[in-house]
Amino acid sequence: MPPFAPAAGGGNEQPTALLKVEHLTMRFGGLVAVDDVSFEAPNAGITAIIGPNGAGKTTVFNCLTGFYKPSVGRLTLSHPRRGPLYLERMEGFRIPQVAGVARTFQNVRLFGGMSVLENLIVAQHNELMHASFFSLAGLLGLGRYRRAEAKAVERARYWLDRVGLTARADWDAANLPYGEQRRLEIARAMCSQPVLLCLDEPAAGLNPRESSDLNRLLIGIRDEQRIGILLIEHDMSVVMGISDKIVVLDHGRQIAEGEPRQVRADPAVIRAYLGEDENEDLPPEVARDLARDGGSA
Ligand SMILES: Nc1ncnc2c1ncn2[C@@H]1O[C@H](COP(=O)(O)OP(=O)(O)OP(=O)(O)O)[C@@H](O)[C@H]1O
């Protein structure tokens, strides 16, 4: 078992629904950004949410992670140790802490001016604060705090190694090349020991080699940590290559759900991407992939 697997993980358990989204609806005035969306995301599985621009993907993430309060809907996280938690009822800041939902953003958000290693220690702030009893215990060198601090450094070094950034530990995070910043964001999210990892376009701006490294990293996280991963992604080589399940949105509505093979053969999906008149905005690799696989199914 990997050294930092969640307590309930590491077994050969069958995938079960970690997250259940029921009738999620998000309105902004007259605009319905997400319209009655329901799906489940398994534990120890990768679930991709795809769809054309403006389909409502990020809005779903924002509802799950407490940035928005849904207009309607139930978001149940079956936490392996805490039981069912209703995310739509929780205050946003408690969702990462209590529910163990971690997130990365479309635009990289690291702490510039801090080293790569420090970025990973800061991610464990909550645990360290608990260990210090929210007091001066840390400064006074209380044993419990010192042990928690050593563990935090060990965990940070583990994830640095996993994302291939050990040699960059002392670099200013802001000076990392873009692809490495993206990997550091994932390492930082993993340092918070999530049960659900939400990644918003992690492959954006990556070259093909970096994308395939990302695929390997995410498959490794799924298989070793046994956590759920939710993925918003436009890069079809990533989506089709690693997803256990895909949910497709279009104009806020859910138009398909299933395994990659089913989804890319689904006429509604092909239509949403290609449009009735072959939408020219479609990235060529998406058009090729969907047209080829949809056509041959
Ligand atoms: N805070 C907001 N206020 C008003 N409208 C919003 C807000 N957030 C999102 N929207 C609108 O909701 C719709 C869905 O946006 P969203 O960002 O969720 O789409 P997306 O599928 O993530 O798109 P992309 O792939 O381009 O990131 C869009 O029409 C967007 O303009």
Side-chain angles (χ1 to χ4, degrees), residues 236-254:
M236 288 296 141
S237 71
V238 173
V239 170
M240 296 298 168
I242 67 172
S243 304
D244 299 294
K245 176 175 185 173
I246 300 176
V247 175
V248 190
L249 303 183
D250 186 29
H251 295 295
R253 295 206 191 90
Q254 186 173 332

Side-chain angles (χ1 to χ4, degrees), residues 28 31 33 51-60 68 106 201 234:
F28 298 105
L31 175 81
N53 289 334
K57 305 177 296 292
T58 300
T59 304
V60 170
Y68 297 154
Q106 235 170 59
E201 298 196 31
H234 286 286

Side-chain angles (χ1 to χ4, degrees), residues 86-125:
Y86 302 108
L87 302 179
E88 80 282 1
R89 294 189 197 164
M90 293 176 73
E91 289 170 273
F93 73 92
R94 286 171 55 81
I95 291 180
Q97 285 175 18
V98 176
V101 178
R103 169 182 194 173
T104 66
F105 292 86
Q106 235 170 59
N107 305 312
V108 175
R109 297 187 189 182
L110 292 167
F111 301 115
M114 279 191 194
S115 76
V116 166
L117 183 64
E118 282 165 346
N119 265 271
L120 300 189
I121 306 286
V122 167
Q124 301 174 69
H125 169 81

Side-chain angles (χ1 to χ4, degrees), residues 11-33:
N12 293 319
E13 73 272 25
Q14 290 301 308
T16 50
L18 171 68
L19 175 74
K20 204 167 172 183
V21 171
E22 295 170 279
H23 306 293
L24 176 63
T25 300
M26 184 74 216
R27 296 190 198 96
F28 298 105
L31 175 81
V32 188

